[in-house]
């Protein structure tokens, strides 16, 4: 039978453990196997799609940091004010709207303003204006996450004695905020990088689908529709690797941000 | 003989007034009250909604396709002439069912593993925590997809075999496969926060001097667990569960959106959104109705979760 | 006649509670003369810190000044513009806080923390400020001063950290240094070193000092004058020798009687006085000390005693007590 032949050639008739070992051995040689649906090498499919996703993700992280940290700082410094409630409420709202809801809705809005001329659909490179909308949608949830983290950290630092010392020294309020509050706040916030990566990898699946971007996310969805396991597995491995890599970066950065950690590491 | 006074400072369970205080803090928080009200309405809709609607969520009316919202069809009808309002209501049942079952399984797995790690320490602790960290550091959507994809074929084969062996039609219901796969794979990624929480509680309570003293006198793990760990962990656990329910709802709709969750014709907000996405230029209500309801549901849980956090951990956590 | 540097009048501080505002500091009057060292003494929680923090508007959230004035060099500290306030903080009034572990920024080098007041008040360049910071470290007796500029607070011992705090307080050679229990968190031997350091610096820089403590013994050789606080009011105010020689308020007598407990924990109950001070918002109608006082009479429970010079005693020795001021009068 044909199916049997395919199973045979794909090695699926061998015992599970042997299949697994073969897969791992191949992986170690940089061989992700072949796609079940197209027969192409998984690796070449991924290397075609990855640059799109990586550029998108990197820009989303930068956008998140630039927007969320200042907003969180402002909210925390004005705790329980109208401004704080507005920022916090918007963050809760953004956090609750999944990208597959935000994307289409924003696209509708976009169409209403600029009918049909420049649909933000498809990939024209990272410097193409079409990328703005997907980038914003992809950043919504990470922004919400970091705004809340930053705000909570600011409120905690505000009650620290050393902030009072800074004020008692006559340091101007803006510099108190930047040097004595923001600086210590960055330490716990940066440790959230891994969490942000997870949010972005998840979000990219939907954003790329909705906006027709040829990245790893859309590849995932196509692979899902075709039950293309080798591709799904390869993308999952890459995603996990990315998250672990970000956590590694955090571990390397942490002593630079917190001298106490640097010392305890030297001591080890 | 030296005796450790057993009547010595063994603190009681959190006193009733603590809960009353927490409740008062909660109801003073306007956002939390709004969230709580919305969650209750949704829960009511999930429980009784499908009985109250004039249309069946499956009944098609090919003469009334893609109707705009009106008084007869509050949210309009879809491309098969099905009443969207009824389908959204039924979708809330799907969402709640998945959220509650998944969270229940996850809490069960998480607290068990967390308690084991905390009580036994050593190798068991390291192994469980390694597992927890691993699970948390994999993008959860992808992990569910992998679990789901790798379980689907064996499970349907097994069901088919069972049907052939028993001819029991229950094994023909593919809906069950969907639910088992969705429940299973989602629960398998949702337990780590609960494990961490319970482990931390166990460790902090075990290290208290009065417990050490009492252990010397034969206080069993079971008593420590029921008298000390559970009452102390219940507050943070409630907060986590509230957040977990919201997350599980979003996950369910995400998978249904991607076509690996609950499959048509069972209505799920996720697959309704994905259907709506294909025609939103012409019939925006088909996208808007489920999208807005899903948005409201997640906002409600996140308001409630935040309020609970403030009410139950007044000193500010995280 | 010496010059008044600071004169606090009828200072009232309130805290917002769920049941409305509660008074924490209830009409405090005190003053500091130029070159003088004032000791402020009282049990933990009696409002010593809040009184001093309120002068520079450093009160925590929900706690605010409800009335009174604080004249300092011709203007009211409580009414300064934000700019004047900033110039006063760290420039004219230096502050040394209780806990050197938490009062220094853990992620900033101590050289930078010492430089800040110099940069903001003296307009020094970074390099000049750093040089001056090195000198300050030497002034407060930190060995290898310049080499420590790049250290982080956690790399120093508690005593060294408190010396850094004092260096920060002194950086701009303020007219007034407020030290809020600067030795409470330190070992007994280090405590004595810090007291000696301040004694020495005070003379060299010619500044006034307000030294807050709950420990009368500690400031015996340091303060020129001592204010005793109880539950947010001044109960006795006298030159140090007079206070030690003839304490007039029953509370002060209790404090003195419990002296040989140097280095004891702040929360330690006073040996010779039973009971605890009233909570904010629950103060009795008359003298706040009446419920704990062995000498209390009916009038004490009804009328709040005013701080007044004792008849027949020195004009500088003032006490707020119905009973003992009268007893002295009769004697
Ligand atoms: N941050 C705060 N929040 C609430 N109450 C406070 C706070 N700080 C001080 N208090 C209250 O004010 C009173 C006086 O405090 P404080 O001036 O710090 O006393 P101390 O004499 O020990 O320095 C205390 O009894 C305390 O109850
Ligand atoms: Mg104090």
């Amino acid at each position: 039978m044909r199916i049997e032949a395919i199973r045979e050639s794909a090695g699926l008739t061998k015992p599970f453990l042997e299949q697994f070992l073969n897969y791992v051995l191949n992986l170690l040689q940089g061989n992700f196997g072949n796609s079940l649906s197209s027969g192409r090498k998984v690796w070449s499919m991924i290397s075609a799609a990855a640059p799109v996703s990586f550029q998108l993700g990197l820009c989303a992280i930068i956008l998140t940091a630039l927007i969320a940290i200042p907003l969180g700082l402002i909210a925390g410094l004005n705790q329980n004010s109208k401004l704080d409630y507005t920022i916090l409420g918007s963050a809760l709202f953004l956090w609750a709207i999944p990208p597959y809801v935000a994307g289409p809705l924003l696209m509708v809005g976009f169409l209403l303003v600029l009918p049909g001329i420049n649909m933000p659909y498809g990939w024209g490179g990272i410097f193409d204006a079409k990328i703005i909308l997907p980038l914003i949608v992809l950043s919504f949830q990470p922004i919400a996450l970091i705004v809340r983290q930053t705000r909570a950290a600011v409120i905690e630092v505000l009650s620290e004695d050393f902030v009072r010392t800074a004020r008692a020294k006559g340091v101007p309020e803006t510099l108190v905020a930047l040097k004595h509050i923001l600086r210590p706040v960055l330490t716990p916030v940066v440790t959230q990088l891994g969490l942000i990566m997870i949010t972005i990898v998840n979000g990219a699946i939907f954003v790329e689908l909705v906006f027709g971007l040829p990245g790893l996310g859309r590849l995932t969805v196509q692979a899902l529709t075709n039950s293309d396991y080798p591709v799904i597995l390869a993308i999952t491995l890459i995603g996990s690797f990315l998250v672990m890599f970000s956590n590694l970066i955090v571990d390397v950065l942490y002593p630079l941000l917190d001298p106490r950690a640097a010392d305890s590491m030297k001591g080890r | 003989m030296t005796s450790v006074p057993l009547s010595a400072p063994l603190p009681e369970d959190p006193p009733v007034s603590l809960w009353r205080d927490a409740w008062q803090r909660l109801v003073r928080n306007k956002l939390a009250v709004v969230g709580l009200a919305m969650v209750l309405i949704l829960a009511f809709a999930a429980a009784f909604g499908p009985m109250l609607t004039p249309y069946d969520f499956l009944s098609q009316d090919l003469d009334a396709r893609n109707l705009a919202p009106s008084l007869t069809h509050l949210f309009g009808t879809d491309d098969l002439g099905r009443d969207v309002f009824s389908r959204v209501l039924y979708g809330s049942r799907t969402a709640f069912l998945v959220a509650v079952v998944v969270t229940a399984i996850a809490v069960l797995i998480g607290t068990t593993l967390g308690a084991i790690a905390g009580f036994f320490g050593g190798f068991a602790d390291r192994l469980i925590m390694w597992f927890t960290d691993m699970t948390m550091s994999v993008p959860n959507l992808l992990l569910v997809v992998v679990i789901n994809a790798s379980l689907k074929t064996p499970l349907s084969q097994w069901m088919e075999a069972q049907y052939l062996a028993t001819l029991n039609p229950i094994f023909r219901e593919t809906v069950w496969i969907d639910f088992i796969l969705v429940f299973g794979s989602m629960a398998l990624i949702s337990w780590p926060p609960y494990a961490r929480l319970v482990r931390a509680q166990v460790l902090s309570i075990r290290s208290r001097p009065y417990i050490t003293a009492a252990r010397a006198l034969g206080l069993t793990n079971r008593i420590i667990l029921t008298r000390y760990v559970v009452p102390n962990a219940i507050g943070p656990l409630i907060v986590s569960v509230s957040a977990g329910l919201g997350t599980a709802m979003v996950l369910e709709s995400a998978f249904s959106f991607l076509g690996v969750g609950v499959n048509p014709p069972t209505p799920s907000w996720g697959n309704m959104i994905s259907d709506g996405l294909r025609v939103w230029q012409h019939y925006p209500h088909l996208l808007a109705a489920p999208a807005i309801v899903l948005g409201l549901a997640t906002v409600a849980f996140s308001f409630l979760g935040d309020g609970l956090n403030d009410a139950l951990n007044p000193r500010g956590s995280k | 006649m010496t010059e008044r540097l600071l004169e606090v009048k009828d200072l009232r501080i309130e805290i917002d509670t769920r049941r409305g505002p509660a008074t924490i500091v209830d009409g405090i009057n005190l003053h500091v003369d130029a070159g003088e060292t004032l000791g402020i003494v009282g049990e933990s929680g009696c409002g010593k810190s809040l009184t001093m923090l309120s002068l520079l508007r450093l009160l925590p959230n929900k706690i605010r000044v409800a009335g009174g004035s604080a004249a300092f060099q011709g203007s009211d500290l409580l009414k300064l513009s934000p700019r004047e306030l900033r110039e006063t903080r760290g420039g004219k009034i230096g502050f040394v806080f209780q806990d050197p572990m938490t009062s220094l920024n853990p992620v900033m080098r101590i050289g930078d923390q010492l430089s800040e007041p110099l940069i903001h008040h003296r307009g020094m360049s970074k390099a000049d400020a750093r040089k001056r910071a090195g000198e300050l470290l030497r002034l407060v007796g930190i060995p290898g001063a310049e080499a420590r500029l790049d250290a982080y607070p956690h790399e120093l011992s508690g005593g060294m950290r408190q010396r850094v705090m004092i260096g920060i307080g002194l950086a701009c050679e303020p007219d007034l240094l407020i030290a809020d229990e600067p030795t409470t968190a330190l070992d007994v031997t280090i405590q004595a070193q810090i007291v000696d350091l301040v004694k020495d610096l005070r003379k060299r820089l010619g500044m006034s000092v307000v030294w807050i403590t709950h420990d009368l013994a500690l400031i015996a050789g340091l303060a020129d004058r001592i204010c005793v606080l109880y539950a947010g009011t001044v109960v006795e105010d006298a030159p140090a020798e007079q206070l030690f020689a003839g304490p007039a308020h029953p509370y002060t007598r209790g404090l003195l009687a419990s002296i040989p407990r140097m280095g004891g924990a702040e929360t330690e109950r006073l040996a010779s006085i039973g009971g605890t001070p009233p909570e904010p918002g629950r103060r009795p109608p008359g003298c706040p000390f009446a419920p704990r006082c062995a000498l209390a009479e009916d009038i004490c429970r009804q009328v709040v005693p005013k701080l007044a010079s004792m008849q027949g005693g020195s004009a500088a020795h003032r006490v707020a007590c119905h009973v003992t001021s009268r007893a002295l009068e009769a004697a």
Side-chain angles (χ1 to χ4, degrees):
Chain A
M1 239 164 63
R2 218 176 91 77
I3 292 184
E4 283 309 312
I6 292 176
R7 289 170 65 87
E8 184 74 52
S9 76
L12 291 180
T13 47
K14 292 182 187 147
F16 171 76
L17 208 60
E18 196 185 328
Q19 286 182 41
F20 180 73
L21 275 180
N22 275 338
Y23 183 78
V24 173
L25 283 178
N26 280 327
L27 263 192
L28 291 178
Q29 296 159 23
N31 181 0
F32 285 86
N34 292 337
S35 158
L36 292 186
S37 60
S38 68
R40 288 172 58 197
K41 278 213 170 327
V42 172
W43 178 244
S44 72
M45 292 167 78
I46 283 181
S47 49
V52 175
S53 299
F54 285 174
Q55 291 175 52
L56 196 65
L58 197 65
C59 289
I61 290 182
I62 295 171
L63 191 68
T64 300
L66 289 182
I67 292 178
I69 293 178
L71 281 182
L73 181 66
I74 292 172
L77 289 176
N78 299 286
Q79 194 190 358
N80 294 339
S81 68
K82 279 229 170 65
L83 190 61
D84 177 33
Y85 287 140
T86 313
I87 294 176
L88 192 64
S90 319
L92 275 177
F93 187 73
L94 284 188
W95 178 245
I97 308 291
Y100 47 92
V101 175
L105 290 182
L106 273 183
M107 238 156 115
V108 177
F110 194 86
L111 257 197
L112 293 180
V113 183
L114 281 177
I117 318 166
N118 244 332
M119 268 294 286
Y121 191 88
W123 173 248
I126 198 71
F127 297 111
D128 186 31
K130 279 189 296 194
I131 204 67
I132 294 176
L133 206 56
L135 197 57
I136 290 176
V137 173
L138 186 58
S139 308
F140 273 169
Q141 288 193 323
I143 287 177
L145 192 73
I146 293 303
V147 163
R148 292 174 63 182
Q149 299 276 358
T150 309
R151 176 182 178 273
V154 166
I155 289 170
E156 203 164 314
V157 170
L158 266 179
S159 67
E160 297 272 5
D161 287 345
F162 63 79
V163 175
R164 187 179 62 187
T165 307
R167 295 202 168 117
K169 283 194 279 193
V171 178
E173 272 307 306
T174 39
L175 284 180
V176 172
L178 292 178
K179 285 169 78 174
H180 294 274
I181 297 172
L182 182 58
R183 178 61 185 65
V185 159
L186 286 181
T187 320
V189 169
V190 165
T191 59
Q192 302 300 321
L193 189 65
L195 203 57
I196 294 198
M197 279 310 288
I198 293 183
T199 320
I200 286 184
V201 171
N202 283 343
I205 297 176
F206 303 103
V207 169
E208 290 179 8
L209 183 70
V210 170
F211 291 97
L213 301 171
L216 290 176
R218 206 175 63 165
L219 197 59
T220 313
V221 181
Q222 284 165 357
L224 260 181
T225 326
N226 303 329
S227 300
D228 202 342
Y229 303 139
V231 176
I232 297 177
L233 210 53
I235 294 177
T236 306
L237 284 173
I238 290 177
S240 316
F241 174 77
L242 271 179
V243 175
M244 280 184 238
F245 186 67
S246 341
N247 286 330
L248 191 72
I249 293 182
V250 170
D251 285 349
V252 174
L253 277 183
Y254 200 84
L256 297 180
L257 289 172
D258 191 339
R260 287 164 297 185
D263 262 29
S264 64
M265 276 167 77
K266 263 183 247 152
R268 246 185 257 149
Chain B
M1 187 189 125
T2 55
S3 72
V4 181
L6 241 196
S7 59
L10 289 181
E12 299 300 311
D13 300 357
V16 182
S17 71
L18 211 78
W19 291 105
R20 214 180 33 227
D21 276 4
W23 173 252
Q24 279 171 358
R25 274 194 294 271
L26 185 70
V27 293
R28 262 204 312 277
N29 182 337
K30 284 189 208 99
L31 286 184
V33 173
V34 172
L36 181 63
M38 280 160 59
V39 167
L40 289 179
I41 292 174
L42 275 169
F44 180 81
F48 304 110
M51 298 174 204
L52 303 179
T53 54
Y55 305 94
D56 181 62
F57 67 92
L58 281 179
S59 75
Q60 306 179 0
D61 180 355
L62 296 182
D63 294 331
R65 295 164 50 180
N66 295 324
L67 292 183
S70 67
L71 276 183
T72 39
H73 295 282
L74 274 181
F75 290 172
T77 60
D78 67 6
D79 57 341
L80 295 174
R82 297 175 297 194
D83 180 49
V84 175
F85 183 64
S86 309
R87 290 182 64 76
V88 167
L89 272 189
Y90 200 91
S92 71
R93 175 173 281 193
T94 310
F96 255 89
L97 186 65
V98 173
V100 168
V101 174
V102 165
T103 308
I105 302 176
V107 167
L108 202 70
I109 302 178
T111 48
T112 310
L113 288 180
I116 292 175
F119 273 116
F120 294 103
F123 179 72
D125 185 26
R126 259 174 289 144
L127 184 72
I128 290 175
M129 282 302 110
W130 177 81
F131 217 63
T132 311
D133 291 342
M134 283 296 288
T135 313
M136 282 181 101
S137 65
V138 176
N140 47 12
L141 218 56
L142 291 173
L143 189 58
V144 174
V145 162
V146 169
I147 297 176
N148 209 326
S150 47
L151 287 183
K152 193 157 200 155
T153 325
L155 195 61
S156 8
Q157 280 169 357
W158 182 82
M159 295 274 280
E160 188 65 28
Q162 291 300 308
Y163 174 71
L164 290 178
T166 63
L167 289 183
N168 187 337
I170 221 175
F171 293 109
R172 268 272 137 111
E173 285 281 351
T174 50
V175 175
W176 292 115
I177 299 191
D178 285 346
F179 275 117
I180 292 171
L181 280 175
V182 172
F183 289 154
S185 53
M186 281 172 58
L188 281 178
I189 61 153
S190 306
W191 57 269
Y194 307 111
R196 280 195 175 173
L197 195 156
V198 169
R199 173 178 175 271
Q201 285 289 346
V202 171
L203 288 183
S204 96
I205 288 189
R206 276 191 51 162
S207 68
R208 290 182 200 172
Y210 60 81
I211 293 287
T212 316
R215 277 172 82 86
L217 290 174
L219 192 70
T220 62
N221 281 349
R222 196 175 55 84
I223 294 181
I224 297 179
L225 196 64
T226 52
R227 283 267 302 278
Y228 301 101
V229 176
V230 171
N232 276 288
I234 203 90
L237 206 57
I238 290 177
V239 175
S240 287
V241 164
S242 155
L245 285 173
T247 314
M249 258 185 194
V250 177
L251 272 183
E252 185 274 318
S253 74
F255 295 130
S256 302
F257 176 85
L258 293 176
V260 288
V262 179
N263 281 335
T266 311
S268 148
W269 295 334
N271 60 37
M272 292 177 75
I273 290 172
S274 117
D275 288 346
L277 205 51
R278 274 185 252 125
V279 293
W280 59 268
Q281 279 124 319
H282 308 289
Y283 310 111
H285 66 275
L286 293 184
L287 174 63
I292 289 172
V293 174
L294 170 60
L296 285 178
T298 52
V299 169
F301 272 102
S302 107
F303 281 179
L304 179 62
D306 249 43
L308 283 173
N309 191 27
D310 292 347
L312 289 167
N313 310 327
R315 301 231 120 230
S317 62
K318 281 183 277 187
Chain C
M1 173 94 198
T2 45
E3 185 195 339
R4 278 284 143 90
L5 181 66
L6 171 71
E7 174 125 38
V8 176
K9 279 204 174 126
D10 298 322
L11 181 71
R12 287 168 40 79
I13 297 177
E14 288 181 351
I15 178 167
D16 287 327
T17 67
R18 247 194 274 163
R19 278 170 261 109
T23 302
I24 299 181
V25 167
D26 194 9
I28 277 191
N29 289 288
L30 55 83
H31 63 91
V32 184
D33 290 334
E36 182 185 42
T37 298
L38 174 70
I40 296 187
V41 187
E43 271 169 290
S44 175
C46 68
K48 307 180 295 287
S49 301
L50 294 186
T51 302
M52 288 301 138
L53 288 173
S54 73
L55 300 182
L56 291 180
R57 266 182 255 168
L58 293 170
L59 291 176
N61 278 342
K62 295 193 176 168
I63 299 184
R64 63 194 138 67
V65 172
S69 64
F72 177 81
Q73 297 183 340
S75 46
D76 184 352
L77 285 178
L78 304 178
K79 296 203 176 72
L80 294 182
S81 70
R83 208 195 129 154
E84 292 166 329
L85 179 66
R86 191 151 47 71
E87 282 166 2
T88 308
R89 287 175 172 177
K92 295 171 183 163
I93 300 180
F95 227 115
V96 176
F97 293 103
Q98 171 171 350
D99 189 350
M101 307 285 274
T102 57
S103 295
L104 292 172
N105 187 334
V107 295
M108 202 178 202
R109 296 177 197 278
I110 60 169
D112 293 332
Q113 304 196 44
L114 273 162
S115 300
E116 269 186 327
L118 298 165
I119 291 171
H120 295 299
H121 295 296
R122 295 283 163 89
M124 284 190 187
S125 71
K126 262 197 148 170
D128 289 348
R130 190 182 159 85
K131 230 176 95 200
R132 176 80 185 125
E135 292 166 17
L136 280 169
L137 283 188
R138 214 171 317 126
L139 183 73
V140 294
I142 292 191
E146 271 81 8
R148 298 304 188 113
L149 284 175
D150 287 326
Y152 286 99
H154 72 273
E155 294 166 343
L156 303 180
S157 70
M160 287 298 141
R161 266 181 253 184
Q162 195 54 291
R163 284 170 191 264
V164 173
M165 271 304 298
I166 293 174
I168 290 175
L170 294 178
C172 299
E173 294 174 15
D175 302 309
L176 176 64
L177 183 75
I178 300 175
D180 184 357
E181 310 211 25
T183 61
T184 304
L186 306 177
D187 293 343
V188 184
T189 44
I190 316 276
Q191 286 189 5
Q193 290 174 14
I194 297 284
V195 170
D196 289 341
L197 174 70
V198 173
K199 264 193 201 168
D200 174 46
L201 292 174
R202 166 185 74 174
K203 224 177 290 157
R204 273 205 257 170
L205 304 175
M207 62 187 173
S208 304
V209 176
V210 172
W211 185 289
I212 300 176
T213 181
H214 64 275
D215 186 354
L216 258 177
L218 187 76
I219 52 165
L222 180 70
D224 302 316
R225 202 157 48 76
I226 292 175
C227 262
V228 181
L229 254 59
Y230 183 79
T233 55
V234 178
V235 294
E236 187 160 4
D237 177 350
E241 325 83 68
Q242 293 185 25
L243 188 104
F244 283 105
H249 199 281
Y251 178 64
T252 317
R253 291 176 187 170
L255 281 180
L256 277 172
S258 60
I259 262 191
R261 42 160 214 131
M262 184 159 164
E266 193 185 357
T267 47
E268 201 172 283
R269 246 0 113 57
L270 291 173
S272 48
I273 312 174
T276 50
E279 285 170 45
R282 296 242 175 91
R283 43 186 70 242
C287 171
F289 188 60
R292 296 170 76 184
C293 184
L295 307 177
E297 300 170 1
D298 283 345
I299 184 174
C300 302
R301 287 182 264 273
Q302 286 147 17
V303 182
V304 182
K306 292 239 153 29
L307 190 66
S309 305
M310 294 187 301
Q311 279 148 4
S314 138
H317 190 162
R318 297 181 305 153
V319 64
C321 179
H322 296 299
V323 180
T324 53
S325 59
R326 197 176 56 213
L328 255 169
E329 200 177 327

